[in-house]
């Protein structure tokens, strides 16, 4: 089962975010294409509302050309001619310019839909630090957590909550002891080397006890770290790729090469 911000970090894989297949471009959107995808959506919004404005402008111009303000209706009750109301003027023009009205309404509806879509994408990437593809995986994780089937080693969970890699670091190698300035057998360096060699060859009971205690502590610590912990809530899992809304936005506008 994929854990977006746990498994990838555990195996030291660099994340290449993919938004999943987007119907508007009939392709997947990768890490370096986020800014171009949002630029495409932004220009689409501008063109939609600009098209709606042009349709409205032409509509009003046609009202002036056809002198709709001069039209009147005959009131049979009063026996007089009454000018058209504003609602009647617009209804009259809508019936005469059906294609223009339909074009303007389509541009408005398409612009609203694209605005809602880009806000949804920004809410995922900027506000939550996940892509569309990862949002589906987080939904799967939330369902499995609800079922109580998600278990993680304690060390992995603690490293995830701290935002660190759970891969254990190697213990530092002690520096090797080289020849001293005293160099010979009769010098001060040679006496210290013989003393150190005797201590290594003849370990005392105290050193053996200390080594045994260290081994027991190490085994106990590893046993505690490898203990499986049941995840009770998806909020216990931290998304290590969520760096804050500003850094997420900068990562979209100026992506770092993978």
């Amino acid at each position: 089962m994929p854990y977006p911000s746990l498994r990838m970090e555990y195996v030291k894989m660099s994340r290449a975010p993919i938004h999943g297949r987007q119907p508007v471009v009939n392709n997947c959107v990768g890490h370096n294409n986020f800014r171009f995808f949002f630029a495409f959506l932004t220009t689409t919004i501008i063109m939609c509302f600009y098209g709606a404005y042009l349709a409205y402008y032409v509509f009003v111009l046609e009202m002036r050309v056809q002198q709709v303000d001069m039209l009147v209706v005959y009131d049979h009750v009063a026996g007089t001619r009454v000018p058209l109301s504003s609602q009647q003027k617009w209804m009259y023009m809508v019936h005469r310019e059906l294609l223009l009205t339909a074009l303007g309404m389509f541009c408005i509806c398409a612009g609203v839909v694209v605005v809602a879509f880009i806000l949804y994408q920004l809410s995922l990437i900027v506000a939550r630090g996940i892509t569309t593809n990862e949002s589906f995986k987080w939904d799967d994780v939330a369902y499995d957590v609800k079922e109580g089937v998600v278990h993680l080693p304690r060390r992995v969970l603690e490293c995830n909550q701290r935002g660190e890699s759970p891969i254990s670091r190697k213990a530092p190698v002690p520096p090797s002891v080289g020849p001293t300035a005293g160099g010979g057998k009769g010098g001060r360096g040679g006496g210290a080397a013989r003393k150190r060699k005797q201590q290594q060859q003849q370990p005392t009971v105290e050193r053996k006890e200390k080594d045994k205690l260290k081994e027991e502590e190490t085994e106990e610590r590893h046993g505690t770290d490898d203990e499986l912990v049941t995840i009770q809530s998806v909020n216990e899992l931290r998304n290590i790729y969520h760096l804050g809304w500003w850094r997420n936005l900068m990562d979209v506008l100026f992506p770092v090469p993978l």
Side-chain angles (χ1 to χ4, degrees), residues 178-253:
T180 59
K185 292 183 179 181
R188 296 173 59 185
R194 286 194 300 272
K195 185 177 179 180
R196 190 181 303 110
K197 187 176 180 180
Q198 292 175 359
Q199 291 178 354
Q200 293 176 354
Q201 293 178 350
Q202 300 176 359
T204 61
V205 177
E206 183 179 355
R207 290 184 58 189
K208 287 184 178 181
E209 292 179 354
K210 288 183 179 179
D211 293 340
K212 187 176 181 181
L213 289 175
K214 287 182 179 179
E215 291 178 0
E216 291 178 355
E217 291 177 359
T218 303
E219 292 178 358
E220 183 179 356
R221 183 172 63 253
H222 285 311
T224 305
D225 292 342
D226 295 336
E227 177 187 358
L228 291 179
V229 179
T230 302
I231 306 300
Q232 302 295 334
S233 172
V234 73
N235 295 328
E236 298 179 21
L237 303 177
R238 176 184 176 186
N239 180 12
I240 62 175
Y241 300 113
H242 182 29
L243 307 176
W245 70 270
W246 178 252
R247 293 181 62 183
N248 291 339
L249 181 61
M250 291 297 102
D251 188 50
V252 171
L253 298 179

Side-chain angles (χ1 to χ4, degrees), residues 136-180:
F136 301 145
K137 297 179 180 179
W138 277 104
D139 292 339
D140 295 338
V141 172
Y143 176 79
D144 291 335
V145 168
K146 185 178 179 181
E147 295 295 321
V149 296
V150 179
H151 311 283
L152 292 176
R154 186 179 299 276
R155 178 174 61 88
V156 175
L157 180 60
E158 291 177 353
C159 291
N160 169 258
Q161 293 174 348
R162 293 194 302 267
E164 301 175 356
S165 173
I167 298 182
S168 59
R169 297 185 176 88
K170 296 182 179 180
V173 180
S176 58
V177 180
T180 59

Side-chain angles (χ1 to χ4, degrees), residues 14 18-19 21 38 43 96 111 113 116 141 174 183 190 195 244 247 254:
S14 59
I18 296 179
H19 256 298
R21 193 167 188 86
F38 284 112
T43 53
R96 287 186 61 89
V113 170
V141 172
K195 185 177 179 180
R247 293 181 62 183
F254 309 101

